[in-house]
Amino acid sequence: MQLNNNVTEFILLGLTQEPVRKKIVFFTFLLIYLGTLLGNFLIIATIKTSWALGSPMYFFLFHLALSDTFLSTSIGPRMIVDAFLKKTTISFNECMIQVFSSHFFGCLEIFILIIMAVDCYVAICKPLRYTIIMSHQVCGALGAVAWVGSCVHSSAQIFLALNFPFCGPNVIDHYFCDLQPLLKLACADTYVVNLLLVSNSGGICTVSFVMVMFSYVIILRSLRNHSAEGRKKAFSTCISHIIGVILFFGPCIFIYTRPATTFSMEKMIAVFYTIGTPLFNSLIYTLRNAEVKNAMRKVWNMKLISGDK
């Protein structure tokens, strides 16, 4: 996989090098990662086993939970293990795999969030045509487009990364491999590559964020025609989604729409969309969604009853 590179491995500096802080990082992010896995596995299992959650919204929620699980897994476990080690190295090939996987599932999450915003818009603004517009065929096609589009995006990213010339420096001041920290180590002029990065990752993040927020503005304005109870329920759901969107897109836009320069808070900002958002999404769709909570109770009650027989 290496092209004209003298570097066979990279050294990851992680979030901190202080022993006490590394222990705090280990326990904190271990709990966050386990919470992310538990929450998303509950969502996945509930949607797959409950007939009550057969609407398009939960079809896309299933894919969102998958993308959250894989995104956190592509970064979290290694970050947690590295907090125990004095010197943390990652091979060139492993680094490229991490670049591909993090961008694949990060981009998949972006596409799924866009589709969920569209689904919410149709459900609230076009309720009489909802079943026609969001048919099973349309949902399946949208899901397929999201996965294929993510593959195209991450393939472009890995193509850029594989063409970076590395000739000596191999210390990455970050907790995972990504194009921005790798650009700082390249032994060549990276101006054009940085423009491609901004137009690809930065463009996708910015345009997607504007699209999602615009759709929610339309949705919130249309709630004026609904009953007080309907407005309250829809507004609560929309606000939760909007918070999740801001927590994910805000850091992404900051990271991928600027030059590859060092910024003291860059790593902490990246934590929000790589580690924090997957946990936050699982909390939104379990603790704040009555249908999901009711379906979970029914599924687990059925399992308990069948286990007693």
Side-chain angles (χ1 to χ4, degrees):
M1 291 179 66
Q2 293 169 250
L3 300 175
N4 302 321
N5 290 326
N6 296 324
V7 175
T8 59
E9 65 178 20
F10 296 98
I11 299 173
L12 294 170
L13 295 184
L15 287 175
T16 180
Q17 288 295 298
E18 296 183 19
V20 175
R21 290 184 179 180
K22 289 183 75 170
K23 291 180 181 179
I24 295 173
V25 167
F26 172 80
F27 288 109
T28 300
F29 289 98
L30 176 62
L31 291 175
I32 291 175
Y33 179 63
L34 291 178
T36 300
L37 291 185
L38 177 61
N40 285 294
F41 281 154
L42 283 174
I43 291 173
I44 291 169
T46 302
I47 292 175
K48 293 300 290 183
T49 56
S50 175
W51 291 100
L53 303 180
S55 67
M57 172 186 174
Y58 297 108
F59 173 79
F60 298 124
L61 177 56
F62 173 82
H63 287 274
L64 181 66
L66 279 179
S67 66
D68 278 333
T69 301
F70 288 121
L71 175 61
S72 59
T73 300
S74 67
I75 297 172
R78 182 171 190 95
M79 174 188 181
I80 293 166
V81 172
D82 286 351
F84 253 146
L85 305 175
K86 289 185 178 180
K87 184 179 181 181
T88 57
T89 60
I90 182 171
S91 71
F92 182 91
N93 290 343
E94 288 175 327
C95 185
M96 295 301 106
I97 291 172
Q98 192 172 60
V99 170
F100 181 87
S101 60
S102 61
H103 277 269
F104 181 90
F105 295 111
C107 187
L108 178 61
E109 178 145 345
I110 288 174
F111 289 149
I112 295 298
L113 287 172
I114 293 173
I115 296 171
M116 291 181 75
V118 172
D119 175 68
C120 189
Y121 166 79
V122 176
I124 294 176
C125 301
K126 308 285 183 181
L128 298 179
R129 300 184 59 195
Y130 179 74
T131 55
I132 298 174
I133 297 174
M134 301 302 294
S135 63
H136 290 298
Q137 293 81 2
V138 171
C139 291
L142 289 173
V145 168
W147 283 84
V148 173
S150 301
C151 186
V152 171
H153 164 74
S154 52
S155 296
Q157 301 298 85
I158 203 70
F159 176 79
L160 290 175
L162 286 172
N163 282 279
F164 291 170
F166 300 109
C167 55
N170 69 334
V171 179
I172 300 176
D173 188 13
H174 218 297
Y175 61 90
F176 74 105
C177 284
D178 199 7
L179 291 185
Q180 287 283 19
L182 285 173
L183 271 176
K184 300 171 188 175
L185 304 181
C187 303
D189 183 7
T190 59
Y191 177 76
V192 175
V193 176
N194 194 68
L195 285 180
L196 293 174
L197 175 61
V198 170
S199 62
N200 188 352
S201 295
I204 289 175
C205 290
T206 304
V207 173
S208 300
F209 177 72
V210 172
M211 289 174 59
V212 172
M213 295 305 293
F214 181 71
S215 68
Y216 277 117
V217 169
I218 297 175
I219 291 168
L220 292 174
R221 289 190 64 183
S222 69
L223 291 177
R224 292 178 298 179
N225 302 322
H226 290 67
S227 64
E229 184 179 350
R231 283 200 303 268
K232 183 179 179 180
K233 180 179 178 182
F235 183 77
S236 176
T237 301
C238 288
I239 290 300
S240 297
H241 294 184
I242 290 171
I243 293 173
V245 166
I246 292 173
L247 285 178
F248 182 78
F249 281 101
C252 284
I253 292 172
F254 175 84
I255 296 294
Y256 295 112
T257 58
R258 63 186 184 84
T261 54
T262 302
F263 184 73
S264 58
M265 291 296 292
E266 180 179 314
K267 290 184 283 187
M268 292 307 301
I269 291 172
V271 166
F272 280 99
Y273 74 91
T274 58
I275 306 295
T277 300
L279 175 64
F280 186 77
N281 283 341
S282 66
L283 294 176
I284 287 177
Y285 294 106
T286 52
L287 298 180
R288 293 185 61 86
N289 190 303
E291 290 183 345
V292 173
K293 287 192 290 186
N294 291 334
M296 283 183 178
R297 291 192 192 100
K298 290 178 181 179
V299 169
W300 292 109
N301 285 340
M302 289 176 61
K303 288 188 176 183
L304 289 174
I305 293 171
S306 62
D308 291 337
K309 291 182 177 179

